[in-house]
Amino acid sequence: MAKINFGGVEEEVVTRQEFPIEKAREVLKDETIAVLGYGVQGPGQALNLKDNGFNVIVGQRKNSTTWDKAVKDGWVPGETLFEIEEAAQKGTIIQFLLSDAGQIAIWPTVKKALNPGDALYFSHGFGITYKERTGIIPPENVDVILVAPKGSGTSLRRMFLEGRGLNSSFAVFQDATEKAKDRVIALGIGVGSGYLFPTDFRKEVYSDLTGERGTLMGAIQGIFAAQYETLRENGHSPSEAFNETVEELTQSLMPLVAENGMDWMYANCSTTAQRGALDWWKKFRDATKPVFENLYEEVAAGREAQRSIDSNSQPDYRPKLEAELKELRESEMWKAGAEVRKLRPEK
Ligand SMILES: NC(=O)c1ccc[n+]([C@@H]2O[C@H](COP(=O)([O-])OP(=O)(O)OC[C@H]3O[C@@H](n4cnc5c(N)ncnc54)[C@H](O)[C@@H]3O)[C@@H](O)[C@H]2O)c1
Ligand SMILES: CC(C)(O)[C@@H](O)C(=O)O
Ligand SMILES: [Mg+2]
Ligand SMILES: [Mg+2]
């Protein structure tokens, strides 16, 4: 592990320098990695592992669109693509990448397929942390490990193909074989992570649920909507409101933040913009901090997990979700966005 000082706090992390892909291959050379679920993380992790030279099979429900997607991606029925139960039986490492609600439904099947010494792998601390709500309690004779890529499975795959890497956290919940740590780090490198930082299952799920409800997805849409509406109510055109709220951020300013940090992005804007941003950011922080505190409390109390289990376990959750996504897609702001995207010169 490399000791790195993150803004004055020392952390021990794993980089590809200390744990190169060759070492990961050596650690996992006798393993069959069964990736269960082929939604968003499943394809990203399974394809990256396969392209990195690991022995991978996929488990997915037959007669589903994701089974067809797996076939299209090159997984061969009966050879590298199986029903979930069969794949779980064949695997020595079971990557449990069904949706969190799907994991609850399929847990009895997976539990039966676990052999002593297998590793049960998650990409979320959800199932284990909220075990009273999920019923996922693994037997004591298997390793229970986690690699949680900090981003979409779509980005995990894209960044891998570009020779880049998405950072992931890792954790060991149960070490039955005394090989759990090597196994989890090797898998983290194998799925295409950038650097790996240690966590535990509880911290992973608390931070992940907070992040996606907060700045990564929920809060950002909320702030976009508030600013867009304010501009529109004051007579600005959709084009002006969308460019000033979203397009400039994603196309011009966030790439600068990604490259060299917020101060550098500020430094590449006018002194007028700098003055205003420096004056206003703390007001936005103070206005939103109570919402974030409330969000964290809801997560820590398990109420966010329960809400997600309740809604995602409904038989009609897909059409209901689609209706909510449609509401976003058909809002004026995102309809304007679709037109703005079409007008990008590179298109
Ligand atoms: N989506 C992401 O990019 C992302 C990022 C980090 C971590 N995670 C975590 O990874 C795990 C997988 O998430 P995902 O977003 O890839 O999942 P997903 O919602 O895309 O679903 C994955 C698969 O689960 C299957 N499935 C769902 N319910 C089922 C059931 N009852 N029986 C059989 N199969 C069922 C679906 O067919 C699908 O192939 C979750 O724990 C999630 O929190 C996801
Ligand atoms: C990609 C995210 C938001 O980071 C992940 O946590 C998820 O649940 O999809
Ligand atoms: Mg998440
Ligand atoms: Mg996440």
Side-chain angles (χ1 to χ4, degrees):
M1 307 256 276
K3 277 196 179 153
I4 311 264
N5 188 314
F6 291 91
V9 180
E10 203 165 81
E11 291 183 39
E12 287 198 352
V13 302
V14 181
T15 67
R16 294 189 201 178
Q17 274 74 42
E18 316 136 64
F19 207 104
I21 192 70
E22 295 75 25
K23 186 168 169 189
R25 285 192 198 112
E26 178 59 29
V27 170
L28 301 179
K29 67 177 188 308
D30 298 324
E31 309 267 16
T32 298
I33 303 169
V35 174
L36 307 186
Y38 208 73
V40 183
Q41 276 299 316
Q45 296 196 26
L47 291 169
N48 288 0
L49 282 165
K50 186 172 84 159
D51 289 352
N52 267 332
F54 296 90
N55 179 24
V56 188
I57 59 174
V58 169
Q60 175 56 39
R61 272 185 298 200
K62 248 186 206 157
N63 304 320
S64 64
T65 49
T66 37
W67 173 279
D68 299 340
K69 176 172 155 51
V71 172
K72 230 169 102 204
D73 284 353
W75 304 99
V76 182
E79 281 178 34
T80 53
L81 175 62
F82 303 92
E83 284 280 1
I84 291 174
E85 189 171 3
E86 197 179 349
Q89 279 160 357
K90 287 185 190 299
T92 55
I93 292 172
I94 315 301
Q95 296 203 174
F96 208 9
L97 298 183
L98 266 51
S99 67
D100 294 306
Q103 289 176 25
I104 299 173
I106 296 301
W107 171 241
T109 307
V110 169
K111 191 177 172 190
K112 250 190 270 156
L114 290 172
N115 292 310
D118 282 355
L120 178 63
Y121 165 115
F122 294 85
S123 285
H124 203 10
F126 195 101
I128 294 287
T129 303
Y130 299 117
K131 62 177 188 295
E132 287 81 11
R133 298 167 195 270
T134 65
I136 298 178
I137 302 169
E140 280 173 11
N141 57 11
V142 301
D143 292 345
V144 181
I145 56 181
L146 167 146
V147 173
K150 294 293 110 186
S152 167
T154 303
S155 324
L156 184 74
R157 181 62 180 161
R158 283 186 188 170
M159 289 168 80
F160 175 83
L161 293 173
E162 291 163 6
R164 300 164 64 207
L166 189 65
N167 302 326
S168 303
S169 58
F170 74 94
V172 173
F173 176 73
Q174 191 168 285
D175 184 4
T177 63
E178 295 181 4
K179 293 188 301 190
K181 192 167 176 196
D182 264 0
R183 273 172 144 179
V184 75
I185 293 174
L187 288 161
I189 297 293
V191 300
S193 302
Y195 86 93
L196 291 155
F197 60 94
T199 187
D200 58 48
F201 278 58
R202 186 181 61 84
K203 287 215 174 85
E204 195 285 328
V205 69
Y206 285 13
S207 57
D208 191 79
L209 295 181
T210 300
E212 66 205 16
R213 281 152 182 73
T215 59
L216 304 176
M217 295 172 69
I220 194 82
Q221 165 62 19
I223 285 201
F224 283 170
Q227 176 170 306
Y228 184 89
E229 281 168 22
T230 304
L231 289 171
R232 290 288 289 131
E233 283 155 14
N234 284 286
H236 299 267
S237 65
S239 217
E240 189 157 62
F242 189 83
N243 273 284
E244 209 56 71
T245 302
V246 180
E247 191 73 354
E248 174 170 341
L249 183 72
T250 61
Q251 301 303 296
S252 165
L253 302 185
M254 274 300 143
L256 299 183
V257 176
E259 210 176 310
N260 263 318
M262 192 65 88
D263 66 301
W264 192 73
M265 182 271 269
Y266 279 19
N268 283 280
C269 296
S270 66
T271 51
T272 310
Q274 288 170 28
R275 180 69 269 130
L278 289 165
D279 288 343
W280 279 85
W281 78 261
K282 290 181 184 163
K283 292 188 199 181
F284 283 105
R285 178 197 57 195
D286 295 346
T288 56
K289 186 77 193 305
V291 185
F292 284 102
E293 283 164 355
N294 175 235
L295 164 58
Y296 196 87
E297 276 166 22
E298 291 298 298
V299 168
R303 287 190 290 271
E304 270 307 301
Q306 193 60 49
R307 268 192 282 281
S308 131
I309 292 169
D310 291 345
S311 87
N312 296 348
S313 306
Q314 302 291 327
D316 62 346
Y317 101 93
R318 277 271 167 211
K320 279 192 178 150
L321 180 69
E322 181 45 39
E324 286 182 89
L325 294 177
K326 187 165 177 253
E327 187 191 327
L328 272 184
R329 190 163 58 242
E330 296 195 346
S331 65
E332 185 197 279
M333 177 168 73
W334 287 111
K335 274 180 28 200
E339 292 310 311
V340 173
R341 289 197 294 277
K342 283 188 219 154
L343 292 171
R344 287 181 193 154
E346 66 271 25
K347 292 244 163 163

